[in-house]
């Protein structure tokens, strides 16, 4: 493990707040000051990433229904609840291809910032959201949001709601890669907290990133405690320099 800690010591110094990932996220969240809070940990940032993807979905869904109501207001006002519900379901089904979603307990979830019931209302029982008790989910929703990971689980990290890239897992850990940070995050599967970070590029390397296949090989070595093989592979891939490679070998051989 000490070998891997040496990689962190000599890692490429990435200023998270200067990455495109961070800048785009925070620029978008200026519209939602109640949600845009300064992060304290990387996991806070990953949670915000999921929330941003969900908010983009929400905006699209709200716009679809708003436009439909504008264009068909006279017709909708003459319909009963079931008829209105049917028409709105048919309308939203025409647009689901442009929305993020993931499967959870047999249901497609489009808004992981809300629980399953509200997700269903939002997409397939829209007239219910016109009731006073549910209006808060459309307008003043920030106080009604859930914690996506606590409710839906770490599978969200493997969905299109997350920018993390799934790499590999075993019975103990599951690993994700964030290219912008040049880092693999190793999560404890039981607690879903970050157990360790694996930095792939040192500050002397001319590389910007590794390929997905290369990252998978590195992480496989790591999970099997083959740290020397891991270091050798990174050196052969030119993601760590000869200078750092020699420092590591000198200290641990």
């Amino acid at each position: 493990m000490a070998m891997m800690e040496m990689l962190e010591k000599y890692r490429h110094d990435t200023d998270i707040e200067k990455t495109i990932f961070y800048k785009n996220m925070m620029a978008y969240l200026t519209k939602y000051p109640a949600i845009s809070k300064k992060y304290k940990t990387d996991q806070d940032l990953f949670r915000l990433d999921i929330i941003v993807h969900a908010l983009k979905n929400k905006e699209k869904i709200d716009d679809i229904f708003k436009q439909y109501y504008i264009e068909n207001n006279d017709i909708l006002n003459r319909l009963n609840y079931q008829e209105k519900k049917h028409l709105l379901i048919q309308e939203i089904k025409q647009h689901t291809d442009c929305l993020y979603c993931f499967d959870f307990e047999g249901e497609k979830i489009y808004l992981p910032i809300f629980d399953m019931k509200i997700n269903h209302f939002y997409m397939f029982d829209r007239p219910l959201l016109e009731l006073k008790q549910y209006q808060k989910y459309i307008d003043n929703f920030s106080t009604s949001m859930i914690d996506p990971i606590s409710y839906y689980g770490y599978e969200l990290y493997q969905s299109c709601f997350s920018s993390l890239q799934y790499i590999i897992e075993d019975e103990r850990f599951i690993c994700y890669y964030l290219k912008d940070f040049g880092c693999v995050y190793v999560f404890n599967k039981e607690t879903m907290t970050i157990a360790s970070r694996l930095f792939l590029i040192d500050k002397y390397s001319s590389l910007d990133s590794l390929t997905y296949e290369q990252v998978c090989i590195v992480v496989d070595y790591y999970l099997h405690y083959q740290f020397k093989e891991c270091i050798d592979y990174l050196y052969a891939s030119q993601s760590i320099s000869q200078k750092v490679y020699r420092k590591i070998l000198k200290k641990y051989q």
Side-chain angles (χ1 to χ4, degrees):
M1 184 65 72
M3 283 189 177
M4 312 317 294
E5 291 170 355
M6 287 281 285
L7 285 183
E8 181 170 0
K9 178 180 178 180
Y10 292 103
R11 74 184 188 274
H12 179 73
D13 189 17
T14 300
D15 186 339
I16 290 175
E17 296 186 7
K18 291 182 179 179
T19 62
I20 294 175
F21 172 80
Y22 181 88
K23 287 181 176 180
N24 287 347
M25 182 186 303
M26 292 306 169
Y28 177 82
L29 285 174
T30 56
K31 297 186 292 183
Y32 303 98
I35 298 172
S36 179
K37 300 177 181 178
K38 184 174 177 61
Y39 73 95
K40 295 181 180 179
T41 67
D42 288 348
Q43 281 191 258
D44 293 335
L45 205 59
F46 301 153
R47 184 177 292 103
L48 276 181
D49 181 37
I50 291 169
I51 290 171
V52 165
H53 282 86
L55 289 176
K56 290 179 179 179
N57 254 14
K58 183 180 183 302
E59 289 180 349
K60 289 178 182 178
I61 295 166
D62 287 343
D63 286 346
I64 290 166
F65 284 121
K66 181 178 180 180
Q67 187 62 35
Y68 190 78
Y69 270 86
I70 291 172
E71 295 174 356
N72 300 277
N73 189 57
D74 290 342
I75 295 173
L76 291 171
N77 284 338
R78 295 196 298 267
L79 300 178
N80 62 35
Y81 165 76
Q82 288 296 340
E83 292 169 334
K84 184 188 291 188
K85 174 182 173 181
H86 176 74
L87 276 185
L88 293 173
I89 288 174
Q90 297 310 308
E91 176 63 18
I92 196 63
K93 281 184 175 179
Q94 297 181 49
H95 301 277
T96 52
D97 287 348
C98 70
L99 300 171
Y100 304 110
C101 78
F102 81 107
D103 293 323
F104 182 77
E105 295 183 358
E107 298 286 336
K108 288 192 179 299
I109 303 300
Y110 293 86
L111 297 169
I113 53 174
F114 301 137
D115 62 26
M116 290 182 69
K117 180 180 75 172
I118 300 303
N119 266 273
H120 180 78
F121 290 172
Y122 226 96
M123 295 295 291
F124 305 115
D125 209 342
R126 191 72 179 192
L128 275 180
L129 290 183
E130 297 173 14
L131 299 177
K132 185 178 180 179
Q133 64 264 40
Y134 294 121
Q135 278 293 309
K136 62 183 179 180
Y137 294 105
I138 296 179
D139 301 320
N140 302 318
F141 61 90
S142 61
T143 58
S144 305
M145 289 169 50
I146 62 170
D147 179 350
I149 297 300
S150 295
Y151 187 92
Y152 291 106
Y154 66 83
E155 286 83 1
L156 264 176
Y157 288 138
Q158 292 165 236
S159 74
C160 53
F161 286 93
S162 175
S163 299
L164 291 174
Q165 189 174 18
Y166 170 81
I167 299 298
I168 198 172
E169 64 185 289
D170 62 15
E171 66 279 1
R172 305 156 298 152
F173 303 112
I174 185 166
C175 304
Y176 301 96
Y177 177 52
L178 190 58
K179 184 177 179 180
D180 267 21
F181 295 179
C183 181
V184 172
Y185 291 87
V186 182
F187 284 79
N188 182 301
K189 292 178 81 169
E190 184 176 348
T191 63
M192 273 318 292
T193 56
I194 297 172
S196 59
R197 284 176 282 265
L198 178 57
F199 295 91
L200 304 181
I201 300 174
D202 76 26
K203 59 185 177 181
Y204 305 109
S205 174
S206 59
L207 286 185
D208 293 323
S209 63
L210 294 174
T211 66
Y212 174 78
E213 290 75 16
Q214 288 175 315
V215 174
C216 288
I217 292 171
V218 171
V219 177
D220 188 59
Y221 281 137
Y222 178 81
L223 291 181
H224 288 90
Y225 302 103
Q226 295 174 285
F227 302 131
K228 174 60 166 57
E229 290 82 352
C230 185
I231 295 296
D232 288 345
Y233 184 81
L234 287 172
Y235 175 59
S237 303
Q238 300 183 325
S239 69
I240 62 173
S241 62
Q242 186 179 74
K243 181 177 182 178
V244 171
Y245 180 67
R246 286 180 172 174
K247 281 179 178 290
I248 294 173
L249 292 187
K250 183 178 180 180
K251 188 166 184 177
Y252 295 104
Q253 282 190 337

